[in-house]
Amino acid sequence: MTVLFIILGILAFIILWQIFLRLIRRFVKFPAPAFMGGLLDSGLRKRMEPPARVIAGSGIKPGMQVLEIGCGPGTFTLDAARAAAEKGKVYALDIQEDMLKQLQRKLSLPENYDIKNIEFLNNSAYELPLEDNSLDLVFMVTVFQEIPDKQRALSEFKRVLKPSAILAISEWIVDPDYPWTSTTRRMAERGGFVYDGFSGNRWNYTVRFRKPC
Ligand SMILES: C[S@@+](CC[C@H](N)C(=O)[O-])C[C@H]1O[C@@H](n2cnc3c(N)ncnc32)[C@H](O)[C@@H]1O
């Protein structure tokens, strides 16, 4: 009986905490602080939102030139780099230098010595230091809703993507900014992208779009 009360107490705390965070995030937009990097990159999170599944759903293939927006500590960046393989490249972009430092530390671990195709960009999604029509794919995980001016960011993604290249947006219910699929789709379509497919489920999904030719 006591165990049941403890479990119910923990569940109630999680639900109330989520409601509190969601209310705050509705009015105040700011990047997830860098001290949350450990949580974002935790084993539990990777079990619930497996990077290999997100990367496959995004459509990253060998040889692609890929940009990850808001890479954070790099939970998805390493799998993206391995999927793009040695002929491909991943630009890992984040507005917070401290997030990029966490990714840098991970890359310096012996198990990641094989990865040599990541370039760090400490920039905003509004100003990408990349050529027009130069990328095959832009992806982001639990980032899009953190960007206050989404249409400005979308027009920048469109500028750097090649014609008919992919924009993949992944979201997860645990993120306090989590939007319904229909919201993500409406915003990207308003930005001129064409819906291309969906993977995952209602709570943990990736929606793919294409830049029109
Ligand atoms: C919730 S974290 C997600 C990190 C990572 N994608 C993941 O899922 O583990 C959001 C990340 O997006 C970055 N970010 C937020 N707004 C940004 C912007 N306008 N331009 C670039 N990065 C941004 C934040 O610094 C943060 O690292």
Side-chain angles (χ1 to χ4, degrees), residues 41 45-47 49-57 75-77 79-80:
D41 205 33
R45 197 253 175 125
K46 286 185 216 161
R47 266 207 298 280
E49 196 180 24
R53 200 178 67 195
V54 173
I55 295 309
T75 307
F76 301 90
T77 321
D79 282 63

Side-chain angles (χ1 to χ4, degrees), residues 25 30-34 36-37 39-41 45 49 68-77 93-97 99-100 121-128 139-149 153 157 170 172 175-177:
R25 297 294 290 176
F30 55 88
M36 283 182 60
L39 207 63
L40 290 167
D41 205 33
R45 197 253 175 125
E49 196 180 24
E68 180 180 8
I69 303 288
C71 61
T75 307
F76 301 90
T77 321
L93 177 137
D94 205 290
I95 201 166
Q96 298 183 83
E97 198 180 0
M99 286 291 199
L100 292 174
L121 298 175
N122 184 200
N123 293 87
S124 156
Y126 297 147
E127 282 159 14
L128 305 175
F139 82 102
M140 73 205 77
V141 187
T142 63
V143 172
F144 191 45
Q145 294 301 317
E146 233 175 64
I147 301 174
D149 189 346
F157 304 157
S170 299
W172 185 38
D175 180 8
D177 294 321

Side-chain angles (χ1 to χ4, degrees), residues 151 154 184-195 209:
Q151 294 308 316
L154 284 166
T184 300
R185 190 170 164 178
R186 195 179 58 245
M187 286 173 171
E189 285 176 341
R190 199 187 304 150
F193 282 89
V194 179
Y195 177 73
F209 303 90

Side-chain angles (χ1 to χ4, degrees), residues 130-135 158-162 211:
L130 296 165
E131 299 286 312
D132 296 1
N133 302 309
S134 58
L135 300 179
K158 225 156 75 180
R159 180 183 70 75
V160 297
L161 282 168
K162 297 174 186 170
K211 170 177 165 175

